[in-house]
Amino acid sequence: QQQVKQSPQSLIVQKGGISIINCAYENTAFDYFPWYQQFPGKGPALLIAIRPDVSEKKEGRFTISFNKSAKQFSLHIMDSQPGDSATYFCAVPAGTASKLTFGTGTRLQVTL
Amino acid sequence: KAGVTQTPRYLIKTRGQQVTLSCSPISGHRSVSWYQQTPGQGLQFLFEYFSETQRNKGNFPGRFSGRQFSNSRSEMNVSTLELGDSALYLCASSFGGENYGYTFGSGTRLTVV
């Protein structure tokens, strides 16, 4: 069964700093690697995703870096803001495109 | 456009009872997946329905079942509830096929007492 290892478990970053969350996976037959953001009381929301025909994808302050040979991908949040305080999950398709295996989550707190 | 709607938002049930949760996907989405979220196990895949057929299934006991209707709305049922079934149940929808853009609802918080 696919395992997805996400680190760190929690992260405290000052406003304006860079938040970095890492994810490692075992195997997948599908080239799609999303990150989800979840606020308390809400379901996860797709934040950004990458298909590894590129090694990096940037959307605003959010960047995914992908290392296919190492089977790792990471989320970088530049200029972190208090509104970014949430739990972040990486996910990897497991067996089929529609079945996602999620990482254990990273609780990010951005302080003033 | 309307998002994924899950009802009810909160439920309290007693051990041994059964429960039915409902999910209305985004209009035009034909794939509906269900996930269970708990502090201990995180987000775990339950099953996926596409065009009224179960397409994928996770590693949950047979007490967990679901169905999808012709309008893509989906329900999941849990029979003989156990304390460990207390969780946030999330529904996610997408167009299906090779489209990976899953949109989650806000979930149903089930508490079993």
Side-chain angles (χ1 to χ4, degrees):
Chain A
Q1 186 172 343
Q2 171 78 261
Q3 284 205 356
V4 179
K5 295 183 179 180
Q6 183 174 342
S7 62
Q9 188 172 3
S10 63
L11 185 59
I12 300 175
V13 173
Q14 278 197 321
K15 179 181 175 181
I18 301 173
S19 304
I20 301 174
I21 305 171
N22 301 299
C23 202
Y25 64 97
E26 295 177 342
N27 291 293
T28 180
F30 298 91
D31 290 338
Y32 171 76
F33 300 91
W35 284 93
Y36 283 83
Q37 178 189 55
Q38 185 176 28
F39 292 104
K42 298 290 187 182
L46 179 63
L47 185 63
I48 185 173
I50 193 170
R51 293 179 188 268
D53 50 348
V54 296
S55 60
E56 186 173 284
K57 180 176 180 180
K58 183 177 180 180
E59 289 184 359
R61 297 185 293 108
F62 301 92
T63 300
I64 294 182
S65 297
F66 186 81
N67 186 331
K68 189 170 185 176
S69 60
K71 297 181 181 177
Q72 295 177 347
F73 59 110
S74 61
L75 174 69
H76 295 235
I77 306 174
M78 312 300 287
D79 187 25
S80 299
Q81 299 296 311
D84 297 330
S85 297
T87 301
Y88 293 81
F89 295 91
C90 62
V92 175
T96 70
S98 58
K99 180 179 176 181
L100 294 175
T101 297
F102 283 84
T104 50
T106 297
R107 179 172 286 187
L108 171 65
Q109 182 182 354
V110 181
T111 61
L112 293 172
Chain B
K1 61 181 180 182
V4 178
T5 303
Q6 292 189 245
T7 56
R9 287 297 311 275
Y10 303 93
L11 265 179
I12 300 176
K13 290 286 188 179
T14 304
R15 270 183 303 175
Q17 287 187 313
Q18 75 165 15
V19 66
T20 299
L21 312 181
S22 180
C23 173
S24 293
I26 290 173
S27 179
H29 284 191
R30 294 162 62 193
S31 169
V32 174
S33 298
W34 289 88
Y35 287 81
Q36 181 195 65
Q37 185 173 28
T38 60
Q41 298 298 318
L43 280 153
Q44 293 188 287
F45 175 82
L46 281 156
F47 31 64
E48 183 220 2
Y49 286 85
F50 181 81
S51 294
E52 300 180 66
T53 301
Q54 187 180 86
R55 191 160 67 169
N56 290 294
K57 190 176 187 305
N59 298 322
F60 279 81
R63 300 185 296 106
F64 293 82
S65 63
R67 59 178 176 169
Q68 186 180 35
F69 302 95
S70 59
N71 61 358
S72 293
R73 190 177 70 85
S74 177
E75 290 180 347
M76 68 163 281
N77 184 75
V78 187
S79 63
T80 319
L81 283 166
E82 301 176 0
L83 295 179
D85 297 333
S86 295
L88 180 66
Y89 290 88
L90 292 158
C91 166
S93 76
S94 82
F95 285 105
E98 290 301 305
N99 186 300
Y100 298 104
Y102 285 91
T103 302
F104 281 83
S106 292
T108 294
R109 172 74 63 183
L110 172 65
T111 302
V112 182
V113 297

